[in-house]
Amino acid sequence: GELRGICNLRSSDCIATRIWFDRRVSTRSPSNVVADTWKDVGATFFNLNDLHDEYRDPQEPSVVAMDLYHTASLMSLPDDELVAKLHGFLARAEPGFADAKIVESAVVRAPQCATMFSPGSYRHRPRQVTSIGGLFLAGDYVKEMPRHGADGLSQERALVTGLMGANKVIHRLGRGRPARILDVDEDEPHIAAAKALNSLSKLNPLIR
């Protein structure tokens, strides 16, 4: 019975892409949000040359992952058209990519893969530790989350709760080396200011 509430959670389509370029392009940050793409679609890019050891060699051309969220309207879009659009969005965010040529790309469509949180959904989310012996849950939908920058995100939250779940297994078995869970970088100043204002507005209804 404790797991049936999961059926009441809604989910959203996502698209994951990876794009190989003909040259190395530096970015201002290893990852960032890409604004002004398609209506109602969220996007994030990841500079894999900064994030993955296999691409760190300075001679390695740029490899970029771009993830899209809430993508029901894009699931039927042809790969070449999708990737061409993403190239344009990326070049707008990081102008160095404007002259870079795409040499290869990969597109993965994942229907209903990310949890959509809404008012009232928290009560339907399960806890990591279940009444079934040895069964621990992980994913963006579980209730538990320490004070961590990944809270409120999807794949990042899934990763952190996965490490938490693995640590619980290690503790239960009494063997193994627990994973060290690192926090994310501090918020950029404008994000920190927005969060502070949001917290203040919850305390004072006159601030809206």
Side-chain angles (χ1 to χ4, degrees):
E2 63 189 294
L3 303 181
R4 284 200 295 264
I6 297 175
C7 297
N8 291 314
L9 298 175
R10 296 186 300 149
S11 56
S12 173
D13 299 338
C14 296
I15 296 176
T17 69
R18 185 167 294 192
I19 306 173
W20 288 261
F21 290 92
D22 65 344
R23 68 195 69 180
R24 186 67 165 258
V25 178
S26 298
T27 57
R28 288 167 289 182
S29 61
S31 64
N32 215 331
V33 171
V34 181
D36 297 327
T37 58
W38 292 274
K39 180 177 173 58
D40 298 326
V41 174
T44 308
F45 82 82
F46 303 88
N47 181 349
L48 300 188
N49 300 90
D50 289 343
L51 299 173
H52 288 194
D53 289 342
E54 62 183 300
Y55 300 125
R56 284 189 187 277
D57 188 326
Q59 302 303 314
E60 184 77 27
S62 284
V63 184
V64 176
M66 295 188 74
D67 292 347
L68 308 174
Y69 319 97
H70 200 249
T71 60
S73 61
L74 304 179
M75 297 300 273
S76 61
L77 194 67
D79 287 359
D80 56 350
E81 185 176 342
L82 177 73
V83 171
K85 284 281 191 182
L86 290 178
H87 186 191
F89 297 145
L90 179 62
R92 195 163 58 198
E94 293 286 349
F97 283 99
D99 295 327
K101 301 292 189 296
I102 295 174
V103 297
E104 188 177 350
S105 63
V107 177
V108 176
R109 291 170 171 77
Q112 304 295 296
C113 72
T115 306
M116 291 182 65
F117 302 109
S118 57
S121 65
Y122 183 81
R123 69 178 185 274
H124 298 303
R125 293 160 61 183
R127 297 195 176 279
Q128 277 204 292
V129 179
T130 71
S131 62
I132 302 172
L135 176 62
F136 302 95
L137 304 180
D140 63 355
Y141 58 90
V142 298
K143 285 182 176 177
E144 288 89 348
M145 188 70 192
R147 291 184 61 83
H148 192 282
D151 196 15
L153 304 175
S154 180
Q155 58 186 318
E156 294 86 352
R157 197 174 197 282
L159 171 64
V160 173
T161 58
L163 295 174
M164 291 168 57
N167 286 346
K168 292 180 186 299
V169 173
I170 290 172
H171 179 74
R172 179 184 177 89
L173 296 178
R175 57 189 175 125
R177 186 176 65 182
R180 181 185 173 202
I181 300 176
L182 303 176
D183 205 347
V184 299
D185 293 338
E186 293 185 7
D187 288 330
E188 296 169 287
H190 63 287
I191 299 297
K195 285 184 175 180
L197 183 60
N198 182 59
S199 297
L200 190 61
S201 69
K202 292 179 181 178
L203 298 176
N204 187 345
L206 297 180
I207 302 178
R208 287 290 186 268

